[in-house]
Amino acid sequence: MEREQASSPQLCETGCGFFANVGCGGLCSKCHRELARAAAASQPKPAVEQSFAKPAQETQPVSEPGASPAPEASTSSSSDAAPKMATRCLECKKKVGLTGFKCKCGNIFCGQHRYAESHDCPFDYKGVHKEKLASSNPVVQASKVQKI
């Protein structure tokens, strides 16, 4: 008899008309989800998130005594805006999201424009490689042989 009572379906405690789930504390999945969202919204931010957010807003550059207060106001407004990461190809403006390729020139490109030749990259690959070769291969000179 106890098995029949335990396995019989029960309605949600909130009275919404759906069947309750034992894992959700006698609520249906919809009411349980709404209750969890309300609880998460009412809780304050965790200390970890607050500690990361505060230093960016509170930290201001040390200014000289004769400096005007106008630059400080502009720095506080720029710290409020979240830094946006470019998620579009610089050439074709296609959304690339996480699959974008970052070039040595500092821009993000799609799969078609990822090569330096396809987006007219201003980065000097030839000069960088020349400097790398020069630093890794120093000039070697043989010692002179004295004539007899």
Side-chain angles (χ1 to χ4, degrees):
M1 279 237 157
E2 292 176 13
R3 272 189 167 176
E4 291 177 12
Q5 290 176 354
S7 65
S8 64
Q10 297 176 352
L11 293 177
C12 180
E13 291 180 0
T14 60
C16 64
F18 290 107
F19 291 112
N21 186 352
V22 178
C24 295
L27 299 173
C28 66
S29 60
K30 181 180 176 184
C31 294
H32 184 273
R33 190 179 319 119
E34 289 175 359
L35 183 67
R37 284 183 184 160
S42 65
Q43 292 178 351
K45 287 184 178 179
V48 174
E49 289 180 13
Q50 290 177 355
S51 66
F52 286 131
K54 286 182 181 179
Q57 293 173 357
E58 292 177 1
T59 306
Q60 294 180 357
V62 179
S63 60
E64 296 179 15
S68 64
E72 292 177 7
S74 64
T75 58
S76 64
S77 64
S78 65
S79 65
D80 293 338
K84 277 194 164 184
M85 185 174 168
T87 58
R88 292 184 177 265
C89 173
L90 192 68
E91 287 289 311
C92 62
K93 308 297 185 220
K94 178 181 173 184
K95 282 189 178 180
V96 292
L98 297 174
T99 61
F101 295 93
K102 190 166 184 173
C103 182
K104 289 188 179 181
C105 62
N107 298 318
I108 296 177
F109 297 99
C110 65
Q112 293 176 346
H113 299 110
R114 66 182 171 183
Y115 301 112
E117 301 84 31
S118 62
H119 68 264
D120 297 327
C121 187
F123 189 77
D124 185 20
Y125 288 95
K126 194 174 184 179
V128 170
H129 290 293
K130 277 185 178 180
E131 290 174 11
K132 186 177 177 183
L133 282 172
S135 64
S136 63
N137 298 325
V139 177
V140 178
Q141 289 183 338
S143 60
K144 293 186 176 182
V145 179
Q146 294 182 359
K147 293 183 181 180
I148 297 180

